[in-house]
Amino acid sequence: MKITWNWLGEYVDLTGLTPEQVAEDLTSAGIPVEKMASMNLGVEGVVVGLIESVTPHPQADRLRVCHIDTGTTKLQIVTGATNVQAGQKVPVALVGAKLPEKHIELANFRGLPSEGMLCSASELGLDDKFLPKDQAEGIWIFPEDAPLGENVVEYLGLNDVVMELELTPNRSDCLSFRGVAYEVAALYSREVHMPDVDASGVATVSDKPLSVRIDTALCTGYSGQVVTHLELGPSPMWMQMRLLAVGMRPINNLVDITNYVMFEWGQPLHAFDYDAIDNREIAVRQAKDREVLRTLDSQDRELTSGVIVISDHKKGLGLAGVMGGECSEVTDNTTTVVIESAMFDPMTTRRTSRLLQLRSEAALRFEKGLDPDAVLPALHRASALMVQYAGGQLLGNPVITGKNLVSPVAKVQILVRVARVAEVLGYAMDIEELEGFCHQLGLPAVREEAGLRVSVPARRPDLLREEDMIEEFARLAGFDRIPSTNLKGALSHGGLSKTQKLRRMTRDYMRNQGFDEVWTYSFVDGEVHRKLNIADDHELAHPMRLLNPLSEDREALRTTMLVPLLEVAKYNASRQWESLFIFELGTVFLPTAPNGDKGMMAPVEKKVLAGVGYGSVAKEPLYAGRNYDFFDIKGLVEGLFERLGIKDKVSFERMAYPYLHAGRSAEMLVGGKPIGKLGQIRKEVARTFDLASEVYYFEVEMEALMEMVSSHLYVAELPRYPHVERDLAVVVNRTLPVANLFSTVKAAAGSLLESVTVFDVYTGEHVGDEEKSAALRLVFRAPDRTLTENEVQIAVDQVLSQLNSNYGAVLRK
Amino acid sequence: MREQLLALQEQALVDLAEAEGNALDAWRVKYLGKKGELSLALRSMSKLSAEERPVVGQVANAVRETLEAAFASKFAEWEAKQAAIQEEKETLDITLPGRTRSVGAEHPLQKIIRRIEDIFIGFGFTVEEGPEVEWDYYNFEALNLPKDHPARDMQDTFYLSEELLMRTHTSPVQARTLEKRRPEWPIRIIVPGRVYRRDDDDATHSHAFTQVEGLVVGKGVRMSDLKGILLTFAKELFGENQEIRLRPSFFPFTEPSAEMDIRCIYCGGDGCSTCKHTGWIEVLGCGMVHPRVLEMGGYDPEEVTGFAFGMGVERIAMLLYKIEDIRQFYQNDLRLLKQFASLPE
């Protein structure tokens, strides 16, 4: 909402105040003034002049010589503008004048002296965005009644300041000068004076000029006034300039008056061509389904029953509160109009204006809800202005109908308890002070035993309950008066939950392993699975989709962390990062409903830890030698499991994924339930992301890990007897997983076996082509004695025999 | 005999001075060995008279001690010299880089969240979380934002269905927490999390960003307590001398509502481009929990009151780290992220 200082001054006395001070005080009171600018950007010495004659320049085809009368002196001015004619009134910058971007001096154009300059609107520093095209191009041609010789700063009212208010949604009352005036009056204990709205014009006709019927509950008040004998023309310059200043395009006197009154009272008005109304009957009704109405932007709009239309018994005349119809538009031939001042359902107006994408100042005010107390004054005010500035005569009395206008709305009554004010704010105000604030706000208040009973006028629909009044008191007193205190009551135990602690620990672990933490967006391309070699019927290929995405590449909720991480890798790889180790602990969204009705149920949100790594293991090139590989990434997650104390519970099994290398990928399982996967990204998938090297990936579900983590640690007793080690190199089939050997060893060796590890895997000339030799180290120990050679040998023999029978393993020669 | 021993000692010391390496070993064998000259000399003591024997014995022991000490010292000297030679040979260029694995960087937003969490944990708060895909009810209705409420315009929303949406703020966790905890109080929580608004991404807008929400509900909770806790928080986060101010504002779920400004951390309030020459920077919205929200959560606003606040983590990170484009947090340019491997708090 934009306001100007002088316009505001019509409704509240601003004597002794400066725009700067009011802007600051409004801001501290919760009506932030975002911008403030003088309307005069440096115009000085420009007057209204009359062009007496225009002649061609004898030496230059493109120049004209104008003879100007400024009322006190005659000037010769050479101009390049083409829109000047004798008899026009124009802004004349005299010699010595200042314009925002120019200083005017005596000039000479091709041998002819030029004693000043004729100005365009933009040369006077005006934003010509809202000016009619014929006024925005070339010299600004003033209306004929512009007073000769008057300083244009006076004439155009440029000695004014425009303020832009950043209103919060609850303060729609300040979408009018009336509302802002009440706010300023409250801040400085002044009175609000709205203009006299006595509209006793020349109401002559005896028969009823108009009847109105309301056929829908979505219209709660409708008033109309017929005005005749109108002469369409430009509105007075001061009105045009004020509308321009608040961002409204001046159109003609009738439209400008309805807009002016809307800014003044906050009540949108509409003017229909009276002659377009069939049978002088207006009906306010809900549209029929698929009813078509051509709006005054010449577009045919198909309507639904959720839209309110103003109509006669034959046709629609306009979309209530949103836009008029073309058939009832005020045109050059219009002499009689109906001024409409009405109340339509805010939500319906909002939906309609959104549906048709018609956002206007009027729709904005309808949406926020109107003040029934302003409907009739606004009607009367507009009628009076049409009489005054458009030659109009009132035809009959206004038609008034609708429950909000016929029977006054009951005022909201709020009981404010003095003690409650202190309870909420933390400091006390006495009842006299609260009464004073009510008086400043223009809210009648009476004392009762329990406190203060406040009657809220309809212009403040945001004041509904005690807390609303407490906020009013607090902001008038100034929030600076609120002290800083400490919470009372019992101490509470703060902290992180177990899961939150473990997540922190996990992030710390990953960073200590040299992985940088990234944060990626949750939205991805809905077809991104194709980049991952994932078939269309795979579950990951059916993410939940947004109904209203901003773009195709952010239309769906990610089901895997892989894509965002590969995109980060791609971004950085293209910036010459030859090795990269990144992780994210983020959320994936897995649809819970099958195709068709997904979206009806919330997805499962899983916190996933995922990482991508490629390139040299060593940070320094000096020590480079080995690139990150499968066992690095496996070791990374094993280290995490060890840190969480769950390493023994996780097993790794070979598993094929569409986007992972068939021979270098694994699924991680706990008790048969998958909790994650890891492996090398398929070369062709990596290439899709412009990644040339071997890229490794892992992901684990955090919740699945957290469930397994024990809250207790009990120290195991330290062994009292020495262990015995035995190394066995066994030859087996090359494809046999060493883990199978381990499980056989563990099963066969009996309770004396403490651990089995692998310390070498050999393939080559000393074993067969299809064979490998695995060197296992078995450690035996008994808790209660030193083992004998014999005991160990028996166990080893059992192991060898079982390995042989299970896998044909033989001791390597 | 005595003269003979002293002469031996003298000769031995002369020899020792010359000896190096293997020669040292040979010297030791020659003079101090079992068949060495000193032993030989001592063996001939048996020929001495009973009177002479202890005297000469004494001299002989003295000579042995002298020679042994001289040898030990000479040997140590030689060893040190050898070690020095060896170390000279093994000398490294200690200016070459050490063998490290990179220290991973903490994401700047994570760093800020951790700091904020730790501050409020110190105040006795716990950390709550909630889903990012949220029901209209919790995101709007339970927060006093009925359908078609004009204030819904403030937050353009991504929808998944009529009722399901991407949460536009962390505030739904307020409603969820009230529902979960009722009728118990006090409630003292903060809620970090990702939120979504249907804004085109540019330097100051992001369709996804991060908030930290706070909620306190209890007996006699006042707006002055809100101010007190926010002041302490601001001092912890921005520095001991930080000042704050509250300005009236509007949120449907708080009444009274306020914006909290901090004194500009760049100019100290003198006015600069960051604070748009006002001396203050807006960092969070807050207020007293609206009685409707308490009622819908199952609490009696006459019995308990509360306050709530919410802040944008990106905004705070941008201020603290002088990051000028919000998109940088999600671009994950390692040249930027790596700086957070070592950044102090």
Side-chain angles (χ1 to χ4, degrees):
Chain A
M1 170 75 183
K2 282 185 181 171
I3 58 166
T4 88
W5 180 252
N6 290 341
W7 192 351
L8 179 66
E10 304 231 335
Y11 316 109
V12 59
D13 180 16
L14 299 172
T15 313
L17 300 172
T18 64
E20 289 73 20
Q21 189 193 337
V22 171
E24 197 181 318
D25 293 342
L26 278 174
T27 302
S28 335
I31 312 283
V33 177
E34 280 292 292
K35 281 184 203 148
M36 198 162 72
S38 169
M39 281 178 67
N40 186 349
L41 301 181
V43 177
E44 204 181 304
V46 183
V47 299
V48 178
L50 174 70
I51 304 178
E52 293 190 313
S53 68
V54 181
T55 54
H57 192 294
Q59 314 296 331
D61 291 347
R62 303 229 308 264
L63 296 179
R64 287 138 177 254
V65 184
C66 301
H67 294 276
I68 306 287
D69 179 7
T70 67
T72 52
T73 169
K74 309 261 180 181
L75 303 170
Q76 171 181 293
I77 293 176
V78 179
T79 178
T82 55
N83 67 329
V84 286
Q85 287 169 18
Q88 289 173 335
K89 288 198 177 147
V90 291
V92 178
L94 305 172
V95 170
K98 286 179 187 155
L99 298 179
E101 288 169 3
K102 265 195 196 106
H103 191 88
I104 305 301
E105 287 166 7
L106 191 64
N108 189 305
F109 294 99
R110 298 282 187 104
L112 284 181
S114 181
E115 302 163 292
M117 190 181 97
L118 309 185
C119 307
S120 68
S122 68
E123 280 165 330
L124 293 174
L126 293 169
D127 183 356
D128 55 16
K129 187 171 65 182
F130 293 116
L131 277 176
K133 214 171 186 185
D134 59 331
Q135 289 178 33
E137 286 171 359
I139 303 303
W140 190 358
I141 311 300
F142 286 155
E144 284 167 25
D145 64 0
L148 193 63
E150 189 173 20
N151 191 321
V152 300
V153 171
E154 294 299 323
Y155 176 54
L156 298 175
L158 295 183
N159 276 336
D160 204 349
V161 175
V162 180
M163 296 183 194
E164 192 169 344
L165 309 180
E166 190 73 27
L167 296 177
T168 51
N170 59 328
R171 294 308 305 271
S172 53
D173 59 304
C174 288
L175 285 169
S176 67
F177 278 86
R178 175 174 173 246
V180 179
Y182 272 108
E183 192 65 18
V184 171
L187 288 176
Y188 305 106
S189 300
R190 298 185 182 197
E191 296 292 322
V192 173
H193 303 285
M194 292 309 287
D196 188 6
V197 290
D198 175 21
S200 53
V202 200
T204 46
V205 181
S206 53
D207 63 332
K208 214 176 167 191
L210 184 72
S211 70
V212 175
R213 201 177 70 238
I214 299 178
D215 288 341
T216 169
L218 298 174
C219 173
T220 51
Y222 196 99
S223 67
Q225 171 71 55
V226 182
V227 190
T228 186
H229 290 95
L230 291 163
E231 289 164 36
L232 202 70
S235 56
M237 185 53 76
W238 61 264
M239 187 182 284
Q240 292 191 36
M241 290 303 294
R242 282 185 173 176
L243 289 174
L244 268 181
V246 300
M248 204 74 197
R249 184 194 302 274
I251 294 172
N252 57 46
N253 46 6
L254 302 188
V255 175
D256 290 358
I257 284 167
T258 59
N259 284 332
Y260 188 82
V261 174
M262 173 177 72
F263 279 100
E264 189 173 88
W265 286 87
Q267 168 67 35
L269 303 174
H270 185 65
F272 295 102
D273 187 341
Y274 179 66
D275 296 326
I277 304 168
D278 195 68
N279 211 24
R280 299 177 179 182
E281 283 176 11
I282 285 180
V284 185
R285 59 170 171 82
Q286 278 162 262
K288 297 163 201 142
D289 261 329
R290 320 204 75 178
E291 177 176 352
V292 174
L293 184 105
R294 174 169 288 203
T295 45
L296 47 77
D297 54 1
S298 298
Q299 291 208 41
D300 286 325
R301 312 272 181 179
E302 191 177 293
L303 311 177
T304 64
S305 62
V307 175
I308 314 169
V309 288
I310 312 301
S311 66
D312 57 27
H313 72 279
K314 286 185 174 164
K315 59 186 181 296
L317 302 168
L319 295 177
V322 179
M323 195 182 252
E326 195 177 64
C327 66
S328 64
E329 187 182 0
V330 172
T331 67
D332 290 350
N333 302 321
T334 303
T335 57
T336 307
V337 299
V338 178
I339 309 172
E340 167 199 284
S341 182
M343 300 187 75
F344 303 116
D345 177 56
M347 289 177 192
T348 307
T349 325
R350 177 165 185 252
R351 271 196 299 265
T352 307
S353 70
R354 297 204 139 197
L355 197 69
L356 304 178
Q357 297 196 317
L358 291 168
R359 310 286 282 169
S360 63
E361 292 281 348
L364 174 73
R365 285 167 177 79
F366 274 114
E367 281 177 31
K368 306 276 181 188
L370 297 176
D371 174 1
D373 292 346
V375 174
L376 295 178
L379 182 72
H380 296 316
R381 171 74 164 151
S383 306
L385 288 173
M386 286 198 189
V387 170
Q388 193 177 354
Y389 292 106
Q393 295 180 11
L394 305 190
L395 196 59
N397 291 317
V399 181
I400 300 166
T401 179
K403 62 174 166 57
N404 279 359
L405 300 182
V406 175
S407 49
V409 184
K411 281 188 176 160
V412 171
Q413 302 276 322
I414 299 172
L415 178 66
V416 184
R417 294 162 294 172
V418 179
R420 180 72 174 177
V421 176
E423 274 169 30
V424 170
L425 297 179
Y427 73 99
M429 291 192 243
D430 58 32
I431 195 158
E432 285 76 22
E433 190 173 12
L434 303 184
E435 272 175 328
F437 288 140
C438 288
H439 180 73
Q440 281 172 247
L441 290 162
L443 310 177
V446 289
R447 285 195 198 190
E448 286 184 7
E449 201 178 328
L452 211 51
R453 184 164 295 277
V454 183
S455 302
V456 183
R459 65 180 166 82
R460 288 299 304 273
D462 58 315
L463 303 180
L464 293 168
R465 44 196 295 175
E466 193 176 23
E467 274 69 19
D468 301 323
M469 282 313 303
I470 294 174
E471 180 176 71
E472 290 298 291
F473 298 146
R475 71 187 185 91
L476 285 182
F479 274 17
D480 289 346
R481 241 175 91 180
I482 300 170
S484 295
T485 55
N486 290 324
L487 275 173
K488 293 180 295 193
L491 286 177
S492 51
H493 167 75
L496 296 172
S497 69
K498 178 183 160 192
T499 310
Q500 289 161 346
K501 278 183 201 156
L502 288 172
R503 264 192 245 141
R504 271 198 188 187
M505 191 235 83
T506 301
R507 288 189 159 101
D508 288 345
Y509 169 80
M510 289 302 295
R511 288 201 302 276
N512 289 337
Q513 295 298 310
F515 277 64
D516 294 313
E517 183 179 14
V518 301
W519 278 37
T520 60
Y521 292 131
S522 314
F523 297 159
V524 293
D525 179 351
E527 304 300 322
V528 78
H529 60 279
R530 301 210 171 121
K531 281 190 178 177
L532 297 182
N533 199 27
I534 290 175
D536 287 349
D537 57 359
H538 193 279
E539 57 169 5
L540 290 182
H542 299 284
M544 292 186 83
R545 285 170 188 268
L546 299 172
L547 292 179
N548 55 342
L550 281 171
S551 65
E552 272 185 15
D553 59 345
R554 306 225 176 277
E555 63 181 353
L557 273 61
R558 64 182 176 199
T559 53
T560 161
M561 302 293 289
L562 177 58
V563 175
L565 288 181
L566 286 180
E567 272 163 2
V568 173
K570 174 182 172 174
Y571 175 93
N572 286 292
S574 73
R575 280 158 187 79
Q576 295 160 304
W577 288 88
E578 283 164 5
S579 47
L580 168 144
F581 305 97
I582 54 170
F583 80 98
E584 179 169 6
L585 203 170
T587 307
V588 298
F589 304 84
L590 306 177
T592 46
N595 288 344
D597 53 15
K598 56 178 188 257
M600 301 308 290
M601 288 171 71
V604 173
E605 292 183 27
K606 281 190 175 168
K607 286 256 187 287
V608 170
L609 173 71
V612 159
Y614 68 75
S616 172
V617 171
K619 178 183 163 195
E620 297 296 335
L622 185 62
Y623 310 116
R626 194 170 69 72
N627 276 349
Y628 205 72
D629 67 19
F630 180 87
F631 295 108
D632 286 306
I633 202 135
K634 187 180 179 199
L636 177 78
V637 293
E638 285 179 320
L640 175 64
F641 297 155
E642 185 163 6
R643 184 76 181 83
L644 295 172
I646 57 174
K647 191 174 175 213
D648 295 339
K649 298 176 183 161
V650 184
S651 64
F652 291 80
E653 284 189 13
R654 192 177 291 290
M655 182 65 73
Y657 293 101
Y659 48 83
L660 293 179
H661 186 304
R664 296 182 178 177
S665 56
E667 185 164 55
M668 290 171 258
L669 299 134
V670 173
K673 199 180 125 208
I675 58 152
K677 50 181 86 87
L678 59 83
Q680 183 184 342
I681 301 288
R682 282 217 159 112
K683 286 253 165 74
E684 59 268 33
V685 172
R687 268 199 299 273
T688 317
F689 292 89
D690 300 337
L691 298 168
S693 12
E694 286 184 6
V695 181
Y696 290 87
Y697 173 71
F698 82 92
E699 62 178 44
V700 286
E701 286 175 18
M702 290 306 290
E703 279 90 350
L705 298 187
M706 299 313 169
E707 282 166 16
M708 292 185 288
V709 175
S710 151
S711 334
H712 297 285
L713 172 67
Y714 298 114
V715 170
E717 203 182 339
L718 301 185
R720 274 188 261 172
Y721 298 92
H723 69 257
V724 178
E725 276 180 22
R726 282 299 169 86
D727 291 348
L728 308 173
V730 291
V731 177
V732 291
N733 188 291
R734 189 180 276 211
T735 60
L736 183 75
V738 169
N740 294 15
L741 298 180
F742 283 180
S743 39
T744 301
V745 168
K746 283 176 189 165
S751 61
L752 296 180
L753 183 75
E754 190 173 77
S755 69
V756 51
T757 49
V758 58
F759 62 92
D760 188 37
V761 177
Y762 171 81
T763 55
E765 51 181 315
H766 299 296
V767 293
D769 284 347
E770 301 298 317
E771 290 174 339
K772 68 179 168 193
S773 154
L776 308 180
R777 174 160 300 153
L778 280 57
V779 176
F780 296 92
R781 195 200 301 270
D784 54 351
R785 62 190 191 278
T786 301
L787 288 173
T788 65
E789 191 63 23
N790 196 31
E791 282 178 296
V792 173
Q793 194 53 50
I794 289 168
V796 168
D797 288 343
Q798 281 166 357
V799 164
L800 284 173
S801 137
Q802 201 59 48
L803 284 177
N804 182 269
S805 73
N806 284 8
Y807 304 112
V810 291
L811 269 180
R812 189 172 157 200
K813 300 286 172 330
Chain B
M1 188 73 197
R2 188 169 174 269
E3 288 71 27
Q4 194 187 338
L5 283 171
L6 289 176
L8 176 68
Q9 173 177 316
E10 197 171 333
Q11 182 58 46
L13 290 176
V14 169
D15 289 353
L16 183 64
E18 302 289 311
E20 288 262 294
N22 292 340
L24 269 176
D25 246 358
W27 181 91
R28 196 170 51 82
V29 173
K30 179 175 177 194
Y31 289 105
L32 295 172
K34 280 184 185 157
K35 292 175 184 170
E37 300 210 6
L38 191 58
S39 303
L40 287 178
L42 287 177
R43 223 164 280 152
S44 63
M45 265 175 46
S46 54
K47 296 168 191 163
L48 294 177
S49 67
E51 294 81 43
E52 270 180 316
R53 212 178 288 159
V55 180
V56 174
Q58 228 171 7
V59 173
N61 280 335
V63 168
R64 176 175 289 276
E65 277 168 26
T66 304
L67 291 186
E68 278 175 348
F71 177 80
S73 136
K74 176 74 184 182
F75 189 78
E77 189 184 305
W78 182 77
E79 261 189 342
K81 201 163 144 197
Q82 288 310 109
I85 290 166
Q86 185 65 26
E87 289 179 2
E88 173 79 33
K89 275 193 215 152
E90 291 168 5
T91 294
L92 301 176
D93 177 358
I94 52 86
T95 67
L96 288 176
R99 207 177 275 116
T100 64
R101 170 158 276 185
S102 318
V103 177
E106 183 169 26
H107 192 277
L109 297 175
Q110 190 62 44
K111 212 180 225 350
I112 298 288
I113 287 183
R114 186 169 47 77
R115 288 180 60 184
I116 294 173
E117 281 177 351
D118 287 344
I119 291 169
F120 281 99
I121 287 169
F123 297 159
F125 283 54
T126 54
V127 179
E128 288 286 335
E129 291 161 290
E132 293 174 27
V133 173
E134 187 53 279
W135 297 101
D136 184 283
Y137 175 77
Y138 289 112
N139 196 71
F140 290 127
E141 285 179 55
L143 297 170
N144 198 27
L145 269 148
K147 291 217 158 83
D148 283 312
H149 190 289
R152 285 196 181 193
D153 273 356
M154 291 164 90
Q155 309 163 344
D156 232 345
T157 311
F158 286 112
Y159 283 92
L160 293 153
S161 76
E162 188 113 332
E163 294 298 326
L164 267 186
L165 46 82
M166 303 306 299
R167 65 175 175 190
T168 58
H169 45 191
T170 42
S171 311
V173 184
Q174 283 189 31
R176 284 175 175 274
T177 305
L178 291 176
E179 202 179 84
K180 191 171 73 184
R181 300 259 188 102
R182 73 184 168 200
E184 281 165 24
W185 47 266
I187 293 172
R188 290 173 190 177
I189 59 162
I190 55 160
V191 185
R194 183 175 286 190
V195 302
Y196 304 82
R197 305 259 170 106
R198 207 170 168 281
D199 273 331
D200 284 311
D201 294 343
D202 63 27
T204 53
H205 295 88
S206 177
H207 73 273
F209 59 99
T210 318
Q211 282 190 335
V212 176
E213 185 90 7
L215 174 70
V216 169
V217 173
K219 188 105 193 139
V221 175
R222 304 157 294 176
M223 193 145 178
S224 56
D225 301 330
L226 168 66
K227 196 170 184 179
I229 217 159
L230 290 179
L231 178 62
T232 315
F233 165 70
K235 285 173 184 288
E236 293 259 343
L237 194 63
F238 297 105
E240 211 175 308
N241 297 319
Q242 187 60 55
E243 295 170 62
I244 64 164
R245 73 169 182 193
L246 297 184
R247 269 185 300 112
S249 188
F250 170 75
F251 305 103
F253 35 94
T254 50
E255 187 77 25
S257 303
E259 299 280 356
M260 183 189 97
D261 297 339
I262 56 166
R263 267 274 181 230
C264 180
I265 57 174
Y266 295 140
C267 65
D270 295 339
C272 66
S273 60
T274 304
C275 62
K276 295 186 194 137
H277 303 279
T278 62
W280 296 94
I281 300 178
E282 186 180 313
V283 292
L284 62 79
C286 58
M288 298 301 289
V289 178
H290 197 288
R292 275 299 293 145
V293 174
L294 288 172
E295 283 162 6
M296 278 186 281
Y299 289 83
D300 177 1
E302 289 295 314
E303 193 190 350
V304 294
T305 49
F307 63 71
F309 54 86
M311 65 193 102
V313 177
E314 280 82 355
R315 174 152 179 76
I316 291 171
M318 286 167 90
L319 283 173
L320 280 176
Y321 302 135
K322 296 196 176 188
I323 292 176
E324 293 192 340
D325 190 328
I326 195 170
R327 288 169 294 199
Q328 289 191 298
F329 293 114
Y330 298 92
Q331 203 162 41
N332 298 299
D333 191 318
L334 290 177
R335 293 168 299 183
L336 181 113
L337 291 184
K338 291 277 186 196
Q339 298 180 44
F340 290 89
S342 57
L343 193 99
E345 284 297 302

